[in-house]
Amino acid sequence: MVIQKLSLILGHKKLKHSKTMSRILLSLLLLFLPALLAAEPESRMWEAGTLVWEEFKGVPALPDAPANLAADIVMSTTGDTEGDFCVMSAAVVYPERSYASPEARTPLMLRYMQARFDLAEIMSRRLQRELAAGINGIEADRRLAYYRNLCRTESDKMAADTRHGTADRALQMWEYDIRRALEETEKAVPGSVSLALSPWSYGLYVGVGGVFPTGSLSDAFSGGCAFTFGLQGGWRRFRLEGLISYSIPTLRDQALVTPGYEGQGYRANVRNANYLGIGFGAGYAVYDSKRITIAPYVGGMWTGYNWTARPMAPDADGNLSVTGLQQRMEIDDFNVAFGVNIEWHFHSAVTSFPLFGNMREHYVSSLRLTPYAVRGVYTDAVRHYSGWQIGFMVSYSGVARALGIR
């Protein structure tokens, strides 16, 4: 009977807990549902003609702001960036975000709103001229931000000069200058241009980081700062790279010698050894966007340590003294290596003239973080050492691809 009561109590608590969780989930759903269902606002392009008050469909947000034009410069890409694609800019107005109170709907204010829209169109045409020259990707985003900021600056100047569209004479002067700029940019703006990035890429990277041995290998050598230089190439998302890395770790085992010098009293006469790594890797970009690329890789790497040693023997005072010539010691191994390249692309540029035939070059600069591991098994010393060399590298990476403009 007691067990049955306990079961009923626990079951009642579970039911209450389930209802509470359901209410919480329902509240969260209702909270975020408007954002999830929000669609892209309707836009109207400059080419559709002059503005009319019927297109101002929004509601004034503040009493002291009876009219507002939600104009912007937008950029769109059609096609596939792995093949032919086209980047276009346009000046647009969002009617649902534009508003004007009945008192503000005067012919003078409508001219002021049209002048602001015309300013956006001028900036869009200037941007389109640069897009037609081949800029795309990060550089295109940067230029879009520049022209948006320039458009806001000019609009603020016009607002100050015309007292927000209420000074007719000042507005006429602005309209005259805007009309001339529209005529000049209309002649200079190019039509639609098709771009084609080559699937092949090539580049280099240079960086600094650290490499730290594990296992018995750490008994012989410490970790150290590593400098790396590498070359890279690729086809679409596939990557191939080769590198050379150098470090100066501390030699922890001063009695470490290679066969042939065992039992002769040889000891290292230097504090640090030289570490050299030469390797290659093949990878694939599992994530590749305009800003971020993540590409795991696997390959092989030859690694070697070398240092110098002299034969030493205790003298009459018990101190070690040199008894022979200096010799070079070296151990090396070729083994598996793997890691992942995480790149943040921060800049892109296009050459202003063809380099190969009628093709220009599209450059992308990136900051790369690479955690990696290299296996090391060194059997050519008197004592065998093995372990993983765990490292990381922060590097600058520059990649180029041919760009066709048609």
Side-chain angles (χ1 to χ4, degrees), residues 213-237:
T214 63
S216 61
L217 192 56
S218 62
D219 297 335
F221 305 99
S222 72
C225 182
F227 302 90
T228 304
F229 173 80
L231 299 174
Q232 57 186 328
W235 181 78
R236 298 194 184 279
R237 290 192 173 212

Side-chain angles (χ1 to χ4, degrees), residues 386-397:
S386 64
W388 288 94
Q389 295 158 344
I390 307 298
F392 73 93
M393 176 179 60
V394 178
S395 60
Y396 163 81
S397 170

